[in-house]
Amino acid sequence: MYYSVKANSNQSIIKILSKLGSGIDVVSGEELMRALAAKVAPKKIIFEGVGKTKNDLILAIKKGIKQINVESIEELLLINKTAKSLGKIANVGIRINPNIDAKSLKKISTGNKKDKFGIPTTDLNQVVIIAKKSKNINLKGISCHVGSQIFSLSVYEKVFKKIKETARFFINNNINIKNLNLGGGMGFDKTKNKKFQIKGFKKLVDKHFRNLPYEISFEPGRYIVAESGTLIAKIITTKKSGQSNFIILDAGMNIFLRPALYGAHHNIVSIIKRRASINYNVAGPICESSDIFGKNVFLPKQYTGDYVAIQDVGAYGSVMSSNYNSKELAAEILIYKNRFTIIRKRQKIKDLISKDIIPRWLGDFH
């Protein structure tokens, strides 16, 4: 397993999973630096991502990471050129675009032919030609990731068949494929109405790969960490608008973006237990109509100063937060049994303001 850092990139989370035996999957040079700062061994790191810069590739090649998964013909040529300039040989994999519908949200689909990710299978002959000519790359893997929040095992079966077909293609062209990365995207439903069939998934993997001579890997993110996170928010005020009861929290889409961006639903519970139950719209303080965490949420009667908990925000929570409306980023606290530690301090507005630079010549501006 290679944990997908983009789901939650705090170094403490990376370190925990690494110590438990997981490899690490990164999608940017910055995520690679985070993984290295968390003392992850380079040979346990795979580098995905459609927009790797030359500096990203230099870092990855110098550090000798396990594999760079290539997303375009141009990138493949750049890796060979960069590795040659460094006097190195880079281990690479090819991320294919299989043109498979993940049957998920369009915004998190990555395997259709119109998506920006991966190399179309129609271009693999060109990959073979380049790989055989290039002296500074070692093509040893195939990767395929078609999206997130996938619950349909039939989608994975299509992916597995396409990966096996691609591996045979390369082997028939005298390229020795050793690693097959079967992607991630295992579904996690925050409202608990659906559950990913992990046992059925295992049977599917065994069916297709049990007796084949490949190292098989996956890159789950959300499935590993989503349930581990809870957002605690304080009620700033309550209000009534027409027939709707609102509670306004001190956390908004700047802290947790997914409901506004994807229409994602997360369970919201009251910290204070009271008997009366009221239908609320739970909103944040941001000046956007989409800054809503949930509508028609039944909670005990809430008052200004009370707290609510938004559940299952361990994935794509803090990593997607922002300073919109000049709001500070929230603190993060890691809890294990009877221990707890602040693993990211709350941002201070004075530090945020200090990042601005006002040109001296604005003093003469009229």
Side-chain angles (χ1 to χ4, degrees):
M1 185 186 93
Y2 289 80
Y3 166 64
S4 183
V5 168
K6 67 179 182 288
N8 189 324
S9 62
N10 191 288
Q11 290 180 64
S12 293
I13 305 301
I14 296 171
K15 196 168 190 70
I16 288 170
L17 288 164
S18 179
K19 291 187 75 171
L20 289 172
S22 176
I24 299 298
D25 176 89
V26 301
V27 296
S28 68
E30 292 82 357
E31 284 188 354
L32 174 56
M33 286 187 276
R34 276 184 175 270
L36 293 170
K39 307 299 182 186
V40 177
K43 289 299 181 184
K44 291 178 66 179
I45 300 174
I46 291 177
F47 194 173
E48 309 269 358
V50 72
K52 307 179 196 74
T53 67
K54 184 176 180 179
N55 285 339
D56 294 341
L57 295 174
I58 289 172
L59 176 63
I61 294 168
K62 279 185 173 181
K63 293 296 182 180
I65 70 170
K66 181 180 177 66
Q67 189 169 291
I68 304 170
N69 286 337
V70 181
E71 304 240 9
S72 68
I73 297 296
E74 183 174 324
E75 183 186 341
L76 185 62
L77 293 168
L78 178 60
I79 291 173
N80 183 64
K81 182 179 179 181
T82 304
K84 182 178 180 180
S85 70
L86 297 171
K88 304 279 188 178
I89 295 177
N91 291 326
V92 301
I94 297 298
R95 177 174 178 176
I96 61 169
N97 183 319
N99 192 26
I100 292 174
D101 183 2
K103 301 188 184 303
S104 183
L105 292 174
K106 288 184 178 181
K107 290 183 178 181
I108 52 177
S109 174
T110 61
N112 287 306
K113 63 181 180 181
K114 293 183 179 180
D115 294 326
K116 67 181 180 180
F117 300 96
I119 296 176
T121 53
T122 52
D123 290 347
L124 294 182
N125 281 316
Q126 190 177 355
V127 170
V128 168
I129 293 170
I130 294 170
K132 288 184 174 180
K133 286 182 179 179
S134 302
K135 304 300 183 184
N136 293 86
I137 57 173
N138 177 22
L139 176 52
K140 59 188 297 186
I142 299 169
S143 170
C144 186
H145 178 74
V146 298
S148 297
Q149 289 295 65
I150 303 171
F151 288 92
S152 171
L153 293 183
S154 66
V155 170
Y156 284 104
E157 181 141 42
K158 290 177 183 178
V159 170
F160 294 171
K161 287 179 179 178
K162 181 61 72 172
I163 289 178
K164 287 167 64 179
E165 177 187 317
T166 304
R168 285 194 296 270
F169 169 81
F170 280 115
I171 290 170
N172 290 339
N173 281 279
N174 300 313
I175 294 177
N176 187 20
I177 297 298
K178 296 181 179 180
N179 306 322
L180 300 183
N181 184 324
L182 308 184
M186 297 80 175
F188 177 82
D189 181 21
K190 280 117 342 236
T191 58
K192 316 296 185 186
N193 293 322
K194 292 189 290 184
K195 190 172 183 180
F196 184 73
Q197 303 169 55
I198 192 68
K199 291 183 178 178
F201 183 77
K202 179 185 182 300
K203 289 180 180 179
L204 201 60
V205 173
D206 288 342
K207 172 185 172 181
H208 286 279
F209 300 104
R210 172 174 281 177
N211 298 314
L212 297 181
Y214 304 114
E215 177 184 306
I216 303 298
S217 63
F218 305 91
E219 50 181 79
R222 184 196 323 269
Y223 190 75
I224 302 297
V225 297
E227 203 168 8
S228 67
T230 302
L231 173 59
I232 306 297
K234 187 176 183 179
I235 297 176
I236 299 174
T237 188
T238 65
K239 62 177 293 186
K240 195 174 182 70
S241 181
Q243 297 301 310
S244 298
N245 296 300
F246 282 88
I247 54 176
I248 310 298
L249 307 179
D250 64 352
M253 60 190 290
N254 61 306
I255 298 297
F256 189 54
L257 180 61
R258 297 195 72 258
L261 182 62
Y262 299 131
H265 299 282
H266 289 255
N267 290 332
I268 303 172
V269 297
S270 174
I271 301 296
I272 304 295
K273 304 300 181 185
R274 300 187 181 98
R275 289 188 178 183
S277 183
I278 295 177
N279 186 342
Y280 286 105
N281 291 340
V282 182
I286 301 302
C287 193
E288 295 283 347
S289 296
S290 58
D291 187 26
I292 301 287
F293 288 119
K295 293 183 177 181
N296 299 316
V297 179
F298 284 88
L299 298 170
K301 185 171 178 59
Q302 299 294 299
Y303 297 94
T304 297
D306 285 348
Y307 291 86
V308 299
I310 302 174
Q311 297 178 323
D312 303 325
V313 302
Y316 303 104
S318 63
V319 290
M320 297 180 76
S321 59
S322 75
N323 294 122
Y324 189 38
N325 286 186
S326 290
K327 292 291 187 179
E328 303 164 342
L329 299 182
E332 293 179 51
I333 303 171
L334 181 67
I335 302 172
Y336 177 68
K337 294 184 178 179
N338 63 344
R339 299 180 180 181
F340 65 92
T341 301
I342 295 175
I343 58 173
R344 186 178 76 175
K345 294 180 180 179
R346 182 183 177 93
Q347 196 175 37
K348 295 181 179 179
I349 185 60
K350 65 178 183 179
D351 295 330
L352 186 59
I353 292 173
S354 70
K355 295 180 183 296
D356 294 348
I357 299 174
I358 301 177
R360 290 183 179 179
W361 52 262
L362 282 183
D364 301 324
F365 191 79
H366 299 288

